[in-house]
Amino acid sequence: MKKTLCGIIPPLVTPLLDNKTLDIAGLERLIEHVIAGGVHGIFILGTTGEAQSLSFNLRADMIKETSKILNSRLPLLVGISDTSIDDSISLSQFAYESGADAVVSAPPYYFATGQPELVEFYENLIPQLELPVYLYNMPTHTKVSFAPSTIKRISQNEKVIGFKDSSANGAYFQSVTHEMRDRENFSIFVGPEEMMAEVVLLGASGGVNGGANIFPKLYVDLYNAAATQNILEVRRLQTKVMQICSTIYSVGSFGSSYLKGVKSSLSILGICNDFLAAPFNKFDKEHRMLIQNAIKNLDLK
Amino acid sequence: MKKTLCGIIPPLVTPLLDNKTLDIAGLERLIEHVIAGGVHGIFILGTTGEAQSLSFNLRADMIKETSKILNSRLPLLVGISDTSIDDSISLSQFAYESGADAVVSAPPYYFATGQPELVEFYENLIPQLELPVYLYNMPTHTKVSFAPSTIKRISQNEKVIGFKDSSANGAYFQSVTHEMRDRENFSIFVGPEEMMAEVVLLGASGGVNGGANIFPKLYVDLYNAAATQNILEVRRLQTKVMQICSTIYSVGSFGSSYLKGVKSSLSILGICNDFLAAPFNKFDKEHRMLIQNAIKNLDLK
Amino acid sequence: MKKTLCGIIPPLVTPLLDNKTLDIAGLERLIEHVIAGGVHGIFILGTTGEAQSLSFNLRADMIKETSKILNSRLPLLVGISDTSIDDSISLSQFAYESGADAVVSAPPYYFATGQPELVEFYENLIPQLELPVYLYNMPTHTKVSFAPSTIKRISQNEKVIGFKDSSANGAYFQSVTHEMRDRENFSIFVGPEEMMAEVVLLGASGGVNGGANIFPKLYVDLYNAAATQNILEVRRLQTKVMQICSTIYSVGSFGSSYLKGVKSSLSILGICNDFLAAPFNKFDKEHRMLIQNAIKNLDLK
Amino acid sequence: MKKTLCGIIPPLVTPLLDNKTLDIAGLERLIEHVIAGGVHGIFILGTTGEAQSLSFNLRADMIKETSKILNSRLPLLVGISDTSIDDSISLSQFAYESGADAVVSAPPYYFATGQPELVEFYENLIPQLELPVYLYNMPTHTKVSFAPSTIKRISQNEKVIGFKDSSANGAYFQSVTHEMRDRENFSIFVGPEEMMAEVVLLGASGGVNGGANIFPKLYVDLYNAAATQNILEVRRLQTKVMQICSTIYSVGSFGSSYLKGVKSSLSILGICNDFLAAPFNKFDKEHRMLIQNAIKNLDLK
């Protein structure tokens, strides 16, 4: 991680055979698939990776296997978010020993924390980590949003090298960008893919976009169009991304439609198993057929 | 309203002397100020206009006086959001008779409504209005967000000519844009000014941005830069807007800091009174001094 | 209002023929029905009364007609909650002139307020009212809950004679009760009927329970059982109330199932029209049949 | 667990020396303290036990040590709530092997679940547990509330022997009670101690009240007064409990004031260490002094 990371970093799904077992062959195909698509790094054990639904040991397995397959071809970011600071540190240590490049940390998510507690938590946690850290904002799931001033404060520690925002709040995203404008070598990524192009046009580092699991080249192309300020191409590709969001992620009206849709698509494309860890379940045949049609109707050339 | 509206439409503050009385001289200065800044229309009785805090009669006064001062120099949009459908219709009728060009309607905000109820409500309301309608999304205040499919459904009535989104949700904004992509002559505006440039770059119609009360030319310039895809200029002016957001709107930690900041700035600049309608209050001297310094530190040339 | 009010105060529905017209014959029957059931007062223009969905003029009509029919046979409480302080004062003045005994005020509900703003708002409002005041806590609808210390502070003005809590938060209710324990002549009522008996057992003043529109005697009997500490009878009658809640208020899964259920029941019993003001609608035939069956299955003797 | 559990079950704090180490001497004193106070069972690794802030291994330690100290003198309930179903099963297996009597499970809390997913989750989980199960409702922390019909559905499995509700929603509590009225041998406990007496008066099983860590006899006495329908004594003791809630749990305005207050009190009384696991911190000297005064001002005889 010598230089600042930018581009498309897929938040990798965790291919599973059941609640206890990785689909390792699927994981291999998935990693080769996203590398072939041109992505700029890989992020495992995030929300799209269902990290919280996996046992500690299964998370460790995922780190080990991904690192082995990836074999340093791309930067590897590892989610260590947990409600226990000790288990977070253990995961980070394991990631370090497995050859990961950085860790990604969202706040503890059982108890709601305030801003002073966030600052204290990270001032406690970060010195205990061997790897550089990205902060991860996911307020719907963690019950707290990093105030821009909190990010600035925590980032006085140079081990903090970036921020990923999955709040979908565009005003907030620009506020963080503004607050951090004088900090060098600090990456700011956006989670929701609907917003990726527009924030890159305004200077953001890139996207940690779930759709890049399925169609990595599309997201890389859209990122490149935005990074080179090719607005015409941005608008053309944005329509494709929006078609994905409004079809593949919106089948059924489950809270988990997005996760189901991503894994179902990967299964339909022959990449990996579509098993979802408890408390969720994969799509039934009828819903899977809707995903199949949605993919068929995409015209990605 | 022959052609589709686009550009900067300031959500005008309502200059007040007290809870019952308009500051009419201030209103005149304010309208001339924003016209001089090059704005493309005026929206009164929105959230920034504190419409809900004004009595029905005071809202009617505001419509009448604004229309008289504006004298058809720019399109006039009038907020008619109310919890009572009858009072909404009465306000709309009054706006029509006063020469307004369109009305703007957010859902009723005491009871929370579901999507089917939103559809029914607007299918009931719209035929009773003489003027074309903009839908107004303000979920933090109305407890409901228009689903993109709901907007499409309601907009089958051609009297619905646009949508204003103040959710600050960038993913949602793109979803609405995508859902409405085939509807001609439909404007989509964004409320939060932090997001205006980026959504215009992707094709949105413009911004209904509170800061355009104070610094109309800045917002018009930023809009023009985005509309002409001048990214370098967009980034330069975006920094000014973010400086405004992070200083003028953030003094104190009141829920009403934004409203206080806008009216305080207008008072400092000699444009209008800074009285806020109940349940809010204007800044005290100490906070006003902070606003004064924030304005002084802006470098808007 | 010489002595402290206690007992069952039905939050009267507003019988309507359409969005603009009272069902006055229905209103007469409804008032006679609840008086015959033994209720201790009447509260109009609350949430169950759909006050916010009615135009200002229709609310004034409701005050006038109710007062005329009631003819001072019971204490009359009038809801004046509005987003405009001026319209609240006008409603209160009208209630006073019509012979009402007290007003009931929930905080403004468009803008969210903080505790200091609540205090200021009421310190501004209350001196402008002729009638004594009950504070009304309805946080799901007003976006703010009165802190117990805020209630105590506002109630230093002796015109504040009581509090109604519709939060359904049992811990909060006891906190308010504890905070106000030394204030004499202060009534504390609970909104949700499921909780009425238990809070009266612990010393609360009574209930403002929607079901008392339909079955006033049941709620009066339950109140009396609790007030006389007849636990066996409390448990027997509580089961009846819970049967009402789990059937009549739970038909369909609308946000407005409760309102629809209450008005549908009153229509089935021949008391008043079941028209609901926009944005809601009355039950269709199929749902009405379910209410009819629910009523038939009650055994209220 | 032959017969249905009722009474006061303290949700035991987890005495800690630091984030990795139990205060075992403190744990011994605490257990003897609550036994001496007459409690009817012990619940470890709940929210008050900061379970989520502890590593998996530390949770296992807490189970082992508590079981050893308790030595079957009282029923031992063990919280197994986790975001990973596998780690929940492992904890339950460990609890079973350590001699616990039942487990307590709140829904997974990172992803929000819907009612059908709750049903599926528990239909998957429960057959994999050796011990009987209490469901634990904690919607502020888990983002979902068990619908009464969901509880009924899950409880068709007879291994489900009870329910603990920490929602503080009194209407909801009665709805669950009503829904489960025909199920024999099913306990329903309330979390918030402010509500314990009133729900026991209406028939609930008892309380899982944090204050019973500090003053076990008070809560047992209040429970007994309610269970024997001694209303005068209920009201007298309720005042003591409310004094605790309004002083000891309300020092500072931290989200964690309750946890800080409980552990601080236990430390002041010489029972155990007041270290709080990350992301929280114990009170500083100044706040601790306020707790000390609050305890001194209680008159518990």
Side-chain angles (χ1 to χ4, degrees):
Chain A
M1 306 292 285
K2 294 291 164 49
K3 59 198 190 73
T4 310
L5 191 62
C6 59
I8 296 298
I9 318 292
L12 221 64
V13 305
T14 304
L16 295 169
L17 299 178
D18 58 39
N19 274 315
K20 299 181 175 186
T21 321
L22 290 181
D23 168 16
I24 293 181
L27 179 60
E28 285 175 348
R29 282 190 299 270
L30 177 60
I31 292 173
E32 298 307 328
H33 174 64
V34 298
I35 292 177
V39 304
H40 305 84
I42 282 181
F43 167 40
I44 61 170
L45 297 178
T47 302
T48 301
E50 298 170 272
Q52 280 66 33
S53 304
L54 311 179
S55 71
F56 184 91
N57 290 335
L58 194 51
R59 285 192 249 177
D61 276 2
M62 180 64 184
I63 296 170
K64 191 183 68 184
E65 297 298 336
T66 302
S67 184
K68 198 165 74 182
I69 297 166
L70 191 58
N71 196 19
S72 302
R73 287 179 286 173
L74 286 176
L76 174 58
L77 284 58
V78 175
I80 60 166
S81 311
D82 202 280
T83 55
S84 155
I85 195 169
D86 260 19
D87 281 347
S88 281
I89 294 165
S90 301
L91 276 170
S92 175
Q93 183 63 23
F94 192 84
Y96 170 66
E97 290 164 4
S98 302
D101 297 282
V103 294
V104 180
S105 170
Y109 37 82
Y110 185 73
F111 293 113
T113 48
Q115 300 301 318
E117 290 162 335
L118 276 186
V119 169
E120 285 175 23
F121 178 78
Y122 281 103
E123 289 182 349
N124 182 353
L125 175 66
I126 292 167
Q128 303 189 56
L129 305 178
E130 298 280 355
L131 290 169
V133 182
Y134 290 86
L135 300 178
Y136 178 5
N137 195 45
M138 188 67 178
T140 52
H141 291 56
T142 63
K143 302 161 190 156
V144 66
S145 182
F146 287 94
S149 57
T150 299
I151 300 168
K152 191 170 190 177
R153 170 81 182 274
I154 297 173
S155 303
Q156 285 170 355
N157 186 326
E158 293 199 351
K159 285 169 74 176
V160 181
I161 60 171
F163 180 68
K164 179 205 166 183
D165 178 33
S166 290
S167 71
N169 187 317
Y172 170 81
F173 192 90
Q174 293 304 322
S175 298
V176 173
T177 300
H178 185 69
E179 184 82 13
M180 299 303 294
R181 65 194 179 282
D182 295 329
R183 164 73 193 264
E184 282 179 24
N185 302 320
F186 192 83
S187 301
I188 303 185
F189 290 94
V190 76
E193 50 208 76
E194 299 92 333
M195 302 169 65
M196 188 267 287
E198 68 191 72
V199 297
V200 169
L201 282 170
L202 262 75
S205 307
V208 180
N209 307 139
N213 281 278
I214 322 172
F215 306 111
K217 186 169 180 308
L218 170 64
Y219 292 82
V220 170
D221 288 349
L222 178 55
Y223 167 76
N224 286 333
T228 58
Q229 304 177 10
N230 182 342
I231 304 270
L232 215 68
E233 184 69 355
V234 161
R235 292 193 186 176
R236 192 180 72 82
L237 296 173
Q238 173 81 5
T239 303
K240 308 288 183 193
V241 167
M242 292 313 303
Q243 193 178 343
I244 291 168
C245 296
S246 64
T247 57
I248 290 175
Y249 303 163
S250 305
V251 165
S253 49
F254 306 93
S256 52
S257 285
Y258 158 75
L259 279 174
K260 288 179 204 284
V262 173
K263 280 202 155 172
S264 187
S265 298
L266 289 170
S267 168
I268 287 164
L269 296 176
I271 294 170
C272 69
N273 201 304
D274 58 352
F275 183 88
L276 264 81
F280 295 139
N281 286 292
K282 66 179 183 182
F283 275 137
D284 58 20
K285 274 189 191 170
E286 192 183 359
H287 286 102
R288 183 183 168 100
M289 190 65 71
L290 294 171
I291 297 289
Q292 203 150 12
N293 289 336
I295 293 175
K296 205 187 306 174
N297 291 333
L298 280 175
D299 173 15
L300 292 186
K301 61 169 192 263
Chain B
M1 307 289 285
K2 294 290 165 47
K3 58 196 192 75
T4 309
L5 190 62
C6 59
I8 297 297
I9 318 292
L12 222 63
V13 305
T14 304
L16 294 169
L17 298 178
D18 58 38
N19 275 314
K20 298 181 177 186
T21 321
L22 289 182
D23 168 15
I24 292 182
L27 179 60
E28 284 175 350
R29 282 190 298 270
L30 177 59
I31 291 174
E32 298 307 327
H33 174 64
V34 298
I35 291 177
V39 304
H40 305 84
I42 283 182
F43 167 41
I44 60 170
L45 298 177
T47 302
T48 301
E50 299 171 90
Q52 279 66 34
S53 304
L54 311 179
S55 71
F56 184 92
N57 291 334
L58 195 51
R59 285 192 250 177
D61 276 1
M62 178 64 183
I63 295 170
K64 191 183 65 185
E65 296 298 336
T66 302
S67 183
K68 199 166 73 183
I69 297 165
L70 191 58
N71 196 20
S72 302
R73 286 179 286 172
L74 285 177
L76 174 58
L77 283 58
V78 175
I80 60 166
S81 310
D82 201 281
T83 55
S84 154
I85 193 168
D86 259 18
D87 281 347
S88 281
I89 294 166
S90 301
L91 276 170
S92 175
Q93 183 64 24
F94 192 84
Y96 170 67
E97 290 165 4
S98 302
D101 297 283
V103 294
V104 180
S105 170
Y109 37 81
Y110 184 74
F111 293 113
T113 47
Q115 299 301 318
E117 289 163 337
L118 275 186
V119 169
E120 285 174 25
F121 177 78
Y122 281 103
E123 290 183 349
N124 182 354
L125 174 68
I126 292 167
Q128 303 188 57
L129 306 178
E130 297 281 354
L131 290 169
V133 182
Y134 291 85
L135 301 177
Y136 178 6
N137 195 46
M138 189 65 177
T140 52
H141 291 56
T142 63
K143 304 160 189 158
V144 65
S145 183
F146 287 94
S149 58
T150 298
I151 300 169
K152 190 171 191 177
R153 169 81 181 275
I154 296 172
S155 303
Q156 286 171 355
N157 187 326
E158 293 200 350
K159 283 168 75 178
V160 182
I161 59 171
F163 179 69
K164 179 205 167 182
D165 179 32
S166 291
S167 71
N169 187 317
Y172 170 80
F173 191 90
Q174 293 303 322
S175 298
V176 174
T177 301
H178 185 69
E179 184 82 13
M180 299 302 295
R181 65 194 179 282
D182 296 329
R183 163 74 193 263
E184 283 180 21
N185 302 320
F186 191 83
S187 300
I188 302 185
F189 290 94
V190 75
E193 50 209 75
E194 299 91 334
M195 302 169 65
M196 186 267 287
E198 68 191 72
V199 297
V200 169
L201 282 170
L202 263 75
S205 307
V208 179
N209 306 140
N213 281 279
I214 321 171
F215 307 110
K217 187 170 181 307
L218 169 64
Y219 293 82
V220 169
D221 287 349
L222 178 55
Y223 167 77
N224 286 333
T228 58
Q229 304 178 10
N230 183 344
I231 305 271
L232 215 67
E233 184 69 354
V234 162
R235 292 193 186 175
R236 192 180 73 83
L237 297 173
Q238 173 80 6
T239 302
K240 308 287 184 192
V241 168
M242 292 313 303
Q243 193 178 343
I244 291 168
C245 295
S246 64
T247 56
I248 290 176
Y249 304 163
S250 305
V251 165
S253 50
F254 306 92
S256 53
S257 285
Y258 157 76
L259 280 174
K260 287 179 205 285
V262 173
K263 279 202 155 172
S264 187
S265 298
L266 289 169
S267 168
I268 288 163
L269 297 177
I271 293 171
C272 68
N273 200 303
D274 59 353
F275 183 88
L276 264 79
F280 296 138
N281 286 293
K282 66 178 183 181
F283 275 137
D284 57 20
K285 274 189 191 170
E286 191 183 359
H287 286 102
R288 183 183 168 99
M289 191 65 73
L290 294 171
I291 297 288
Q292 203 150 13
N293 290 337
I295 293 175
K296 204 187 308 174
N297 291 333
L298 279 174
D299 174 16
L300 292 187
K301 59 168 192 255
Chain C
M1 305 293 286
K2 295 289 165 49
K3 58 198 191 76
T4 309
L5 192 61
C6 59
I8 297 297
I9 318 291
L12 222 64
V13 305
T14 304
L16 294 170
L17 299 178
D18 57 40
N19 274 316
K20 299 181 176 186
T21 322
L22 289 182
D23 168 15
I24 293 183
L27 179 60
E28 284 175 349
R29 282 190 297 271
L30 177 59
I31 291 174
E32 298 308 327
H33 174 65
V34 299
I35 291 177
V39 304
H40 305 84
I42 283 181
F43 167 40
I44 61 170
L45 297 177
T47 302
T48 301
E50 299 170 271
Q52 280 66 33
S53 304
L54 311 179
S55 71
F56 184 92
N57 291 334
L58 195 51
R59 286 192 249 177
D61 276 1
M62 179 65 184
I63 296 170
K64 189 183 68 183
E65 297 298 337
T66 302
S67 183
K68 198 165 75 182
I69 298 166
L70 192 57
N71 197 18
S72 302
R73 287 179 285 172
L74 286 176
L76 174 58
L77 283 58
V78 175
I80 59 166
S81 311
D82 201 280
T83 55
S84 155
I85 194 168
D86 260 19
D87 281 347
S88 280
I89 294 166
S90 301
L91 277 170
S92 176
Q93 183 63 22
F94 192 84
Y96 170 66
E97 291 165 4
S98 302
D101 297 283
V103 294
V104 180
S105 170
Y109 37 82
Y110 185 74
F111 293 113
T113 48
Q115 298 302 317
E117 289 163 336
L118 276 185
V119 169
E120 286 175 22
F121 178 78
Y122 281 103
E123 289 182 350
N124 182 354
L125 175 67
I126 291 167
Q128 303 190 56
L129 305 178
E130 297 280 356
L131 291 169
V133 183
Y134 290 86
L135 301 177
Y136 178 5
N137 195 45
M138 187 66 177
T140 52
H141 291 56
T142 63
K143 304 160 188 158
V144 65
S145 185
F146 287 93
S149 58
T150 298
I151 300 168
K152 190 171 192 178
R153 169 81 182 275
I154 296 172
S155 302
Q156 287 171 353
N157 186 326
E158 293 199 351
K159 284 169 73 177
V160 182
I161 61 171
F163 179 67
K164 179 206 167 182
D165 178 32
S166 290
S167 71
N169 187 317
Y172 170 81
F173 191 91
Q174 293 304 322
S175 298
V176 174
T177 301
H178 184 70
E179 185 82 13
M180 299 301 295
R181 66 195 179 283
D182 296 330
R183 162 74 192 263
E184 281 179 24
N185 303 319
F186 192 83
S187 301
I188 302 185
F189 290 94
V190 75
E193 50 209 77
E194 299 92 333
M195 303 168 65
M196 187 266 288
E198 68 191 72
V199 297
V200 169
L201 282 169
L202 262 75
S205 308
V208 179
N209 306 140
N213 281 279
I214 322 172
F215 307 111
K217 187 171 181 307
L218 169 63
Y219 293 82
V220 169
D221 287 349
L222 179 54
Y223 167 77
N224 286 333
T228 58
Q229 305 178 9
N230 183 344
I231 305 271
L232 214 68
E233 185 69 354
V234 162
R235 292 194 186 174
R236 191 180 74 81
L237 296 173
Q238 173 81 6
T239 303
K240 308 288 184 193
V241 167
M242 292 313 303
Q243 193 178 342
I244 291 168
C245 296
S246 64
T247 58
I248 290 176
Y249 303 162
S250 305
V251 166
S253 49
F254 307 92
S256 52
S257 284
Y258 158 75
L259 280 174
K260 288 178 205 284
V262 173
K263 279 203 155 173
S264 187
S265 298
L266 289 169
S267 167
I268 287 164
L269 297 176
I271 294 170
C272 68
N273 200 303
D274 58 353
F275 183 88
L276 264 81
F280 296 140
N281 285 293
K282 66 179 182 181
F283 275 138
D284 59 20
K285 276 189 189 170
E286 191 182 1
H287 286 102
R288 184 183 167 99
M289 191 66 72
L290 294 171
I291 297 289
Q292 203 151 12
N293 289 337
I295 293 175
K296 206 187 307 175
N297 291 333
L298 280 174
D299 174 17
L300 292 185
K301 59 167 194 263
Chain D
M1 306 290 287
K2 293 292 164 47
K3 59 198 191 73
T4 309
L5 191 62
C6 60
I8 297 298
I9 318 291
L12 222 64
V13 306
T14 303
L16 295 170
L17 299 178
D18 57 40
N19 274 316
K20 299 181 177 187
T21 321
L22 290 181
D23 167 16
I24 292 181
L27 179 61
E28 284 175 349
R29 282 190 298 270
L30 177 59
I31 291 174
E32 298 308 327
H33 175 65
V34 298
I35 291 177
V39 304
H40 305 84
I42 282 180
F43 167 41
I44 60 169
L45 297 178
T47 302
T48 301
E50 299 171 271
Q52 280 67 34
S53 304
L54 311 179
S55 71
F56 184 92
N57 290 336
L58 194 51
R59 286 192 249 176
D61 277 1
M62 179 65 184
I63 296 170
K64 191 183 66 184
E65 297 298 336
T66 302
S67 183
K68 199 166 74 182
I69 298 165
L70 191 58
N71 196 19
S72 303
R73 287 179 286 172
L74 285 177
L76 174 58
L77 284 58
V78 175
I80 59 166
S81 310
D82 202 281
T83 56
S84 154
I85 193 169
D86 259 20
D87 281 347
S88 280
I89 294 166
S90 301
L91 277 170
S92 176
Q93 183 63 23
F94 192 85
Y96 170 67
E97 289 164 5
S98 303
D101 297 283
V103 293
V104 180
S105 170
Y109 37 81
Y110 184 73
F111 293 112
T113 48
Q115 299 301 319
E117 289 162 337
L118 276 185
V119 169
E120 285 174 24
F121 178 78
Y122 281 103
E123 289 183 350
N124 181 353
L125 175 67
I126 293 167
Q128 303 189 57
L129 306 178
E130 297 280 354
L131 290 169
V133 182
Y134 290 85
L135 300 177
Y136 177 5
N137 196 45
M138 188 66 176
T140 51
H141 291 56
T142 63
K143 303 161 189 156
V144 65
S145 183
F146 287 94
S149 58
T150 297
I151 301 169
K152 191 171 190 178
R153 168 81 182 274
I154 296 172
S155 302
Q156 286 170 354
N157 186 326
E158 293 199 350
K159 284 169 75 177
V160 182
I161 60 171
F163 179 69
K164 179 205 167 183
D165 179 33
S166 290
S167 72
N169 187 317
Y172 170 80
F173 191 90
Q174 293 304 323
S175 298
V176 173
T177 301
H178 184 69
E179 184 82 13
M180 299 302 295
R181 65 195 180 282
D182 297 329
R183 163 74 193 264
E184 283 180 20
N185 301 320
F186 191 83
S187 301
I188 302 185
F189 290 94
V190 75
E193 51 210 76
E194 298 92 334
M195 303 168 65
M196 187 267 287
E198 68 191 73
V199 298
V200 169
L201 281 170
L202 262 75
S205 308
V208 179
N209 307 140
N213 281 278
I214 321 171
F215 307 111
K217 187 170 180 310
L218 170 64
Y219 292 82
V220 169
D221 287 349
L222 178 55
Y223 167 77
N224 286 333
T228 58
Q229 304 177 10
N230 183 343
I231 305 270
L232 216 68
E233 184 69 355
V234 162
R235 292 194 186 175
R236 192 180 71 83
L237 297 173
Q238 174 80 6
T239 302
K240 308 288 185 194
V241 167
M242 292 313 305
Q243 193 178 343
I244 291 168
C245 296
S246 64
T247 56
I248 290 176
Y249 304 163
S250 305
V251 165
S253 50
F254 306 93
S256 52
S257 286
Y258 159 76
L259 279 173
K260 288 179 204 285
V262 173
K263 280 201 155 173
S264 187
S265 298
L266 290 169
S267 167
I268 288 164
L269 297 176
I271 293 171
C272 68
N273 200 304
D274 59 353
F275 183 89
L276 264 80
F280 296 139
N281 286 292
K282 66 179 182 180
F283 275 137
D284 58 20
K285 273 188 193 172
E286 191 183 0
H287 286 102
R288 183 184 168 99
M289 191 65 72
L290 294 171
I291 296 288
Q292 204 150 10
N293 289 337
I295 292 175
K296 205 186 309 174
N297 291 333
L298 279 175
D299 174 16
L300 292 188
K301 62 167 190 262

